[in-house]
Structure formats: C-alpha cells, structure tokens
Amino acid sequence: MLASTGKQRLGEMTDGLIEIRAEATGFVAEIGGVDLVGELSEADFEQIRAAIIRHKVLVFRDQRLDDNSHYAFAQRFGPLEGHVNRSTRLDALPKLQVFGNLDADGKTTGVHPEKGTLVWHTDKSYIATPSLFTILRSPFVARTGGDTLFADMARAYEALEPAASARLEGLRAVHDWKRSREKSDERPATADEIAAAPPVDHPLIRTHPETDARTIYIGNHASHILDWEIAAGEALLAQLEAHATQENFIYRHRWRENDVLMWDNRCTMHCVTAYDAAAERRVVHRAVVQGDRPY
Ligand SMILES: [Fe+2]
C-alpha cells in the first residue's frame, strides 16, 4: 500500500507508449511517456481515461502545461465548471481557478487561500452534480509542507464491518457550502454564493457509475445526516472520516515542479498539508470537470 511516508513502491506495467506505474492496491498511478502539451492521440487519451477510472489518482511528472494547454487537456474529459468563489477565476479562462499565496508583486501574503482545502473534502460535493475529475498543476511548489493527501474511499468502504456498512445504507448526508466555510474558519459565504450553492443531500454511500464500486461520500462539505439530530449526524461523519483517513488508505503527494495531478472525486477525498504561507510560495491552477448526480 502507499503509505503516508511518501515511499511509493510502484510496480511497473507498460501498456503501449504510455507507461503506467501503479501500486498493487490499484490506488494511484504515475503516468510516463506522454506529453500533455502536445497533440494527445485518441488512443493515448483513452488510456489515460481508463487509468484514472482504475487508479483514482494519476500523477504526471515533468509536464510543461500553461493555462491554455491545461484547459485544453482538461476539457477533453468533459465540460469544465467555474467555482462558487468568483475571486479565484481567471479573466481569460474563467473555468480555470488559481489559488495561491502571492500578491500582485509575487510576494507571499502569509495566508493560505481557501482554508477549506486544508481539511478532508471531495470537490464541490455541495452542489447537486459534484465535480467529476480535478486536474491540478502547481507553478510554485512549497519546499516544506503543502503536500496533497488522498484517501481511497472505495477501499475505506470495503474495510467497514458488514454490520457497519449495513447501518449506513439508505442514509443521506447534507452538503452545505455555507456550513463548510464556517467549519474551516473561512470568510463567511456571501449571499450570492449561498444563493448559487444552497444545501443539497447525497447518498452517504454512493455507487461509482463507471466501476459500480461503493464509496463513502463525505468530507468537510458534508454537514450532517438528513433527518437525524445534527449532533448525531456530525458524530457519524467524524467517525467515518477517522476511519477513511487511516494511514493505509492514504497517498501523500509531495509536489515536484512540473507535476500534474488528476483525481476522481467520486471515490477519493483530499486535503493539503500545512506549510509556512509567509516563507513558502505555493500556487495551484485547477481545472474541474463537471460531474453528475450521485446515486
Ligand atoms: Fe479540493
């Protein structure tokens, strides 16, 4: 398994020109032999698409994407979506988002943008049709900290005792952007944001539409359990998160320059580890592919 020590014992499996090195558990693969900037053939694209479904998280090293090529690669997977927080959008490519700790002069602000990214979540679970894939690149990589952690929510589900998973069947979790921001001590949601993202509910255990895998669908945007006492629902969500984020379900991505990271939000959670936002420059550019309604 991929331990949080960052040691990756990746087995080698070469399939055509694209090299896919995957851990035996099937969680996370490193993709080599492909240039995401150039013309990606349909065959190569299909291999990458199959790999993301199979491995849940993909790591591409040594890529030289700019915003345009990042955007072009991402949109081959489907329509992209903007972010509720409009301040993160780029004017020229409004569906690409930038999060970073640099001011207009390139100096560090001392503040990590979006504190909600520091806690476990799955992207946009607070909307009716949450994100499918997220594709991230990082023009400025922190030297210490600022890692991205992933939890394999299908394996976490499989590891539940049968009695525990039976108890979760049929439950729905309420996901709420406004509440999520309160929990992560972020600036309060604006009236516009609340109007754009009112609370929604999703199955607590969802089925991956392409693999039929059952996955635990929680994270910081999940506020409580529908029709339960708030405190009891919060307690169940906390218990499930503690289970799912045990070391044996986690992959720690230590960023290198020119990495591109891609993940399937339907079967993973992720978060960023702390770093010194005054001393380290850390910027990510993000493209998000629209998903569909969880079931
Ligand atoms: Fe995220």
Side-chain angles (χ1 to χ4, degrees), residues 121 123 270 286:
H121 66 283
D123 286 337
H270 60 277
R286 182 177 93 154

Side-chain angles (χ1 to χ4, degrees), residues 116-117 119 121-124 134 221 263 265 270-272 286:
T117 60
V119 289
H121 66 283
T122 171
D123 286 337
K124 304 229 183 117
T134 302
H221 305 312
W263 62 89
N265 283 291
H270 60 277
C271 64
V272 180
R286 182 177 93 154

